[in-house]
Amino acid sequence: MKKIKIPKRFKLFATTYNVVFDNEQMNELGYYGLCSYSEAKITLSTTKGKTPLSDDRIKDTFYHEKVHAILDMMNNELSNNEQFVDTFAKLLRQSDETTEY
């Protein structure tokens, strides 16, 4: 797997969210990623069991969890709508990756 660009941290309002990789925890839970509002943390996996995840899957998961973080900060119930979160995350990723300056 080539090196993908996933941030180590980012801010929402005055809160710093840390981004960590923990394959063991995520595999135990059966998730690719998890956003914890109370810990201001996004945890990601690079594997499903022993199978490596693609760079695209990891990036999609990061953006998905980042959208959860944003909506949770807004106290918005849409954070519970996985279809909305997934669609918003894919649009946000595309916007970021196709931005020209």
Side-chain angles (χ1 to χ4, degrees):
M1 180 176 4
K2 64 183 182 262
K3 180 103 168 109
I4 58 173
K5 290 181 91 173
I6 301 288
K8 294 177 185 175
R9 66 192 58 80
F10 60 91
K11 284 191 181 269
L12 295 176
F13 297 129
T15 301
T16 300
Y17 269 75
N18 290 301
V19 181
V20 299
F21 287 87
D22 188 337
N23 293 342
E24 186 176 326
Q25 179 190 19
M26 292 299 96
N27 280 288
E28 190 174 295
L29 293 170
Y31 299 157
Y32 295 139
L34 181 66
C35 175
S36 173
Y37 177 74
S38 62
E39 296 176 284
K41 179 171 78 172
I42 290 176
T43 306
L44 301 170
S45 183
T46 60
T47 64
K48 179 179 181 180
K50 294 184 183 207
T51 305
L53 296 174
S54 70
D55 290 353
D56 278 332
R57 172 65 76 184
I58 296 166
K59 277 186 170 184
D60 280 345
T61 302
F62 167 71
Y63 275 96
H64 180 98
E65 299 307 331
K66 187 174 188 178
V67 169
H68 276 299
I70 292 167
L71 293 170
D72 289 346
M73 281 296 238
M74 295 170 60
N75 199 26
N76 192 309
E77 65 186 43
L78 283 171
S79 186
N80 298 319
N81 183 328
E82 290 298 318
Q83 184 176 359
F84 175 85
V85 170
D86 209 44
T87 301
F88 192 103
K90 287 179 175 148
L91 289 167
L92 183 60
R93 178 182 171 190
Q94 183 181 26
S95 171
D96 283 355
E97 290 183 348
T98 60
T99 297
E100 295 180 24
Y101 297 92

